[in-house]
Amino acid sequence: MAGSSSQFNRELFEAAPADVVERAIKEYVACSRGNWHPAFGGEAIFDEPLVGFAAGDDSIFQEYKAIIGDFHLTPGEALVRHLKSRMGSEVRPARVTVIAFVLPVAYSTRLSNRRETVVASIRWNYTRWYGQEFINELSRYLVSLLEGLGYQAVAPELADFYGWKELPGGLASNWSQRHIAYAAGLGTFSLNDGLITPRGIALRCGSVVTDAGIPPTPRVYRNHVANCLFYRGESCRRCIERCPVGAISEHGHDKNKCREFLFVRQKELLRELGRTPGYTGSYPACGLCQTKVPCEDRIPPAAGSERRQTA
Ligand code: B12
Ligand code: SF4
Ligand code: SF4
């Protein structure tokens, strides 16, 4: 009777698909050991996630081809590529939905990074390392959940078609998680490029594309930089001041400078500071511009009501 029980689950899913997916993601984040910092007594890597949905035929995905580049995939293109690699032939799904999730970095990690001025804290580095492994695990879980219900699903960042392009302004992937999260109503961009959500800018994010129909989340923000104080004309420069290499200015974020710091200069600095390679783990991080800033854990309130981050 496996068929009828999966039919039953599918009926439950179809009655409230957004609620089922949001709950599944939140429960997975709350319960999975993958969301434990192995080196810090099993403390959580991420807090409760935000979840949003976008329709695959939303015109914003075509706009991204102009904003980012022609190589940036629409959700439909991502799913078609996935189906082609699975079935060998071109299958066009009748509907396409993107599920986007934002994982806010836990308080203890943000606090540790607030204290840093030169390189990231070890907790922040381990969040880049184990946190990304957890995002991959969560994405695979979501895919198998949807496939178990009889839908097609793919996590584009884990697919063989995922890649980057080296543009003059810096690296750009063919599946930008922040742009996907923006399309799914989860936040806006900022002066330092980071996505600012109701849970702040100190986060990591991910997404899955499926042929299940899920109503889209409305985009409530005035424009694509509405959550950043600088673009609201409130003269915030905190992320500029936090960057150890001057990669942020009133003209925005210099990705090449940031990247050079992350992958080259930082190594020398860590040696000078006497830190072993284990300090960064498998991937160097930084994120000083995402901590001890007014947008760290919230959409910053208007001037006058701002609570300055201490410690
Ligand atoms: C390449 C990359 C980098 C590069 C370049 C960063 C960049 N800005 O693109 C380097 C190595 C420098 C880097 C550094 C970091 N990264 Co990085 N990186 C990526 C990666 C792999 C791809 C990003 C990408 O392709 N962007 C595409 C380009 C075109 O986007 P963009 O230039 O930012 O977009 C601008 C324009 O589109 C513009 N825009 C103009 N007009 C319009 C109109 C509309 C309507 C819209 C929507 C936008 C728009 O707005 C944007 C902001 O200015 C993603 C993972 C992924 N697959 O998405 C992670 C990712 C962006 N990185 C992340 C993080 C956390 C970091 C670091 C903090 C390192 C760390 N872990 O400690 C730093 C932060 C640097 C910074 N201030 O952004 C997070 C983002 C978290 C956040 N709050 O935004 C991501 C999403 C990883 C993840 N899975 O969570 N990263
Ligand atoms: S620190 Fe200020 S200027 Fe920088 S992203 Fe946050 S709100 Fe915008
Ligand atoms: S991640 Fe570090 S180097 Fe890059 S912009 Fe932010 S503070 Fe500067």
Side-chain angles (χ1 to χ4, degrees):
M1 299 298 282
S4 62
S5 95
S6 109
Q7 177 65 24
F8 174 66
N9 286 336
R10 185 153 166 150
E11 278 163 21
L12 277 182
F13 175 84
E14 282 170 357
D19 291 348
V20 171
V21 171
E22 182 167 347
R23 201 164 149 181
I25 294 174
K26 286 187 171 167
E27 281 177 1
Y28 198 83
V29 173
C31 302
S32 168
R33 280 188 78 119
N35 190 29
W36 293 6
H37 263 303
F40 303 109
E43 275 179 36
I45 300 175
F46 298 116
D47 287 341
E48 187 177 81
L50 300 173
V51 181
F53 307 94
D57 60 3
D58 190 321
S59 60
I60 197 157
F61 295 112
Q62 282 301 331
E63 286 172 40
Y64 288 166
K65 290 198 178 278
I67 296 166
I68 302 173
D70 216 18
F71 57 89
H72 197 269
L73 299 169
T74 66
E77 287 167 345
L79 197 53
V80 166
R81 286 193 189 199
H82 167 68
L83 295 176
K84 191 162 187 187
S85 76
R86 270 201 144 179
M87 299 169 191
S89 59
E90 198 123 317
V91 184
R92 301 216 156 257
R95 307 164 292 227
V96 179
T97 300
V98 194
I99 303 165
F101 51 86
V102 156
L103 295 160
V105 175
Y107 176 67
S108 51
T109 303
R110 290 189 279 108
L111 190 65
S112 69
N113 219 41
R114 279 185 209 168
R115 295 192 181 112
E116 301 293 339
T117 55
V118 183
V119 293
S121 71
I122 189 165
R123 281 174 195 254
W124 186 274
N125 286 334
Y126 281 33
T127 296
R128 168 64 186 84
W129 176 8
Y130 292 109
Q132 186 57 41
E133 284 178 9
F134 175 62
I135 288 176
N136 298 346
E137 178 192 318
L138 171 61
S139 306
R140 284 190 205 100
Y141 163 71
L142 256 186
V143 167
S144 62
L145 183 92
L146 291 158
E147 287 178 345
L149 291 166
Y151 297 106
Q152 301 292 348
V154 62
E157 204 171 346
L158 299 179
D160 53 10
F161 55 77
Y162 178 71
W164 299 274
K165 230 184 164 95
E166 198 68 69
L167 301 178
L171 259 190
S173 75
N174 61 359
W175 187 256
S176 165
Q177 300 288 9
R178 291 198 276 224
H179 287 79
I180 301 305
Y182 174 82
L186 292 176
T188 80
F189 287 85
S190 69
L191 181 64
N192 72 44
D193 278 351
L195 185 85
I196 304 180
T197 72
R199 298 297 313 277
I201 196 172
L203 58 88
R204 294 193 69 78
C205 47
S207 56
V208 162
V209 181
T210 176
D211 64 352
I214 309 178
T217 309
R219 285 194 287 276
V220 295
Y221 305 111
R222 213 169 356 101
N223 59 44
H224 75 282
V225 285
N227 294 344
C228 173
L229 286 173
F230 178 85
Y231 288 115
R232 285 201 236 135
E234 296 192 34
S235 75
C236 177
R237 298 171 52 87
R238 294 291 288 280
C239 55
I240 299 179
E241 292 156 12
R242 283 284 282 154
C243 179
V245 285
I248 310 168
S249 72
E250 294 188 349
H251 304 293
H253 173 231
D254 182 333
K255 293 177 203 172
N256 292 323
K257 231 181 197 178
C258 174
R259 186 172 160 203
E260 206 268 339
F261 172 69
L262 280 171
F263 297 104
V264 185
R265 173 80 186 112
Q266 191 174 203
K267 273 196 191 137
E268 298 158 18
L269 270 173
L270 288 167
R271 259 196 309 272
E272 284 164 26
L273 292 167
R275 307 240 164 99
T276 62
Y279 187 81
T280 48
S282 72
Y283 195 101
C286 173
L288 295 189
C289 57
Q290 308 197 340
T291 47
K292 209 173 178 184
V293 288
C295 54
E296 178 187 299
D297 62 348
R298 67 197 62 200
I299 296 170
S305 54
E306 179 192 336
R307 177 180 64 88
R308 276 178 87 88
Q309 301 281 12
T310 51

